[in-house]
Amino acid sequence: MQRRPNSVVAAALLILTWLGAVMAASSAGCGKTPSIKSQQYTMQVNGKQRQYIMKLPDNYDQNRPYRLVFLWHQRGGSATKIVQGEDPNRGGVVPYYGLPPLANNSAIFVVPNGLDSGWANNGGEDTAFFDQMAKTIEADLCVDTNLRFATGFSYGGGMSFNLACSRPKMMRAVAVLSGAQLSGCDGGNEPVAYYAQHGTSDSVLNVSMGRQLRDRFVKNNGCTPVSEPSPNGGQSVKTEYKNCKAGYPVTWVIHNGDHNPSQVDQGSSTPFAPKNTWDFFSQFT
Ligand SMILES: *[C@@H]1O[C@H](CO)[C@@H](O)[C@H](O)[C@H]1NC(C)=O
Ligand SMILES: *[C@@H]1O[C@H](CO)[C@@H](O)[C@H](O)[C@H]1NC(C)=O
């Protein structure tokens, strides 16, 4: 008769442990009636006014922990330009980096607006902006805090890279499109799942700069370096690094194009960044 109570206690402990694991990933906003909507917001960060645009999933469910995806714009860009998109045939970015149609309402998107249209991150002020957005959003909306992501093109790639360096515990993965170290790398010694793409003909931030960022995470993630892959003519070539620490993959896509977030493979009219990015992000659940 001793056995039953013990097994009941054991089962209860197991359930509590499981609940703890599940609940640990849910933000304080889970279960709350949200006040944040799909619109622009303003906040004060270190005495400066900052803006960001929110995009909630259709039929937002306050009890479902969502992915939280930050979309950083390029130099001279803006949050509005990310939301509206610009002609991809002229080197523009498709709306929201093309991710919402792929996300199937599994993600909350955040589109921050840069000071002087960029992410110089002076004194860490853009990292502080990120911290304050994440805190504010997660207090109000239901976010899976194991599933925060960042992506961006060019300067926005630099800002995504900076978060991989400075906020490795917060970021599940980043996707750096034609990026360089432009927003700093405070820290930068811990693993973060890392996707990047770059063109060998990049006339703005040359490909060596993208390789340099990638190699930091090849090292941090414990992956085995490979000899430098080349594009296959007009086709991009994807390299998935081997032997990375579990949960910390690195994927590198090399193409023969210029500084372009909307590069397509020869014979295709669809930019490959959105699908590559979402395939990379959505492997984490
Ligand atoms: C989209 O999400 C819904 C609800 O979570 C799911 O039922 C459906 O299968 C998903 N569709 C695709 C194409 O993944
Ligand atoms: C890439 O650009 C950097 C910075 O302008 C420069 O130092 C480096 O020599 C360039 N590398 C190549 C291969 O052009």
Side-chain angles (χ1 to χ4, degrees):
M1 296 313 284
Q2 287 282 4
R3 293 181 79 107
R4 187 176 285 165
N6 279 345
S7 60
V8 167
V9 167
L13 278 174
L14 261 179
I15 286 167
L16 280 175
T17 308
W18 173 79
L19 270 177
V22 169
M23 288 169 68
S26 299
S27 71
C30 293
K32 281 191 191 169
T33 303
S35 64
I36 294 177
K37 300 178 183 63
S38 295
Q39 62 170 69
Q40 180 171 307
Y41 289 90
T42 299
M43 59 171 44
Q44 293 283 125
V45 183
N46 296 340
K48 292 184 184 172
Q49 266 211 347
R50 310 299 306 259
Q51 298 85 31
Y52 58 103
I53 298 173
M54 296 294 304
K55 178 176 172 54
L56 272 60
D58 297 339
N59 303 316
Y60 170 80
D61 174 355
Q62 67 201 42
N63 295 313
R64 172 179 174 186
Y66 289 93
R67 297 183 170 93
L68 186 62
V69 184
F70 288 82
L71 308 175
W72 305 91
H73 64 71
Q74 68 196 80
R75 181 191 294 276
S78 68
T80 302
K81 286 179 183 172
I82 293 293
V83 167
Q84 294 177 348
E86 297 184 283
D87 187 354
N89 296 317
R90 294 169 155 221
V93 64
V94 292
Y96 294 93
Y97 284 110
L99 300 180
L102 302 171
N104 185 23
N105 292 313
S106 69
I108 295 165
F109 292 97
V110 189
V111 192
N113 200 47
L115 294 172
D116 301 322
S117 306
W119 307 107
N121 195 24
N122 292 318
E125 64 184 350
D126 293 321
T127 308
F129 179 29
F130 163 79
D131 287 342
Q132 201 172 310
M133 283 186 286
K135 196 172 166 200
T136 303
I137 292 160
E138 290 171 18
D140 191 69
L141 297 177
C142 190
V143 171
D144 185 329
T145 56
N146 289 331
L147 297 177
R148 297 188 195 91
F149 303 91
T151 188
F153 167 64
S154 194
Y155 220 154
M159 185 59 198
S160 303
F161 172 77
N162 160 61
L163 292 176
C165 292
S166 61
R167 294 293 179 266
K169 297 279 189 285
M170 291 184 74
M171 306 313 295
R172 191 68 194 80
V174 299
V176 175
L177 315 179
S178 313
Q181 189 167 319
L182 302 167
S183 308
C185 175
D186 184 15
N189 299 311
E190 289 180 59
V192 172
Y194 193 86
Y195 170 87
Q197 63 176 61
H198 218 111
T200 51
S201 307
D202 197 314
S203 56
V204 178
L205 303 172
N206 68 40
V207 67
S208 326
M209 296 166 130
R211 288 172 178 151
Q212 196 184 340
L213 306 196
R214 174 204 66 195
D215 286 344
R216 179 179 279 273
F217 286 93
V218 167
K219 176 169 176 282
N220 291 353
N221 297 6
C223 318
T224 305
V226 296
S227 58
E228 199 58 56
S230 299
N232 177 14
Q235 307 293 325
S236 61
V237 168
K238 182 187 276 190
T239 302
E240 292 172 342
Y241 281 74
K242 300 275 187 287
N243 305 317
C244 307
K245 291 176 195 166
Y248 298 102
V250 174
T251 295
W252 169 254
V253 169
I254 190 76
H255 61 80
N256 71 353
D258 199 344
H259 197 57
N260 179 9
S262 298
Q263 184 71 26
V264 297
D265 281 323
Q266 197 168 29
S268 163
S269 57
T270 307
F272 51 70
K275 182 172 187 304
N276 282 347
T277 299
W278 196 253
D279 282 351
F280 193 75
F281 287 177
S282 61
Q283 72 184 296
F284 305 109
T285 52

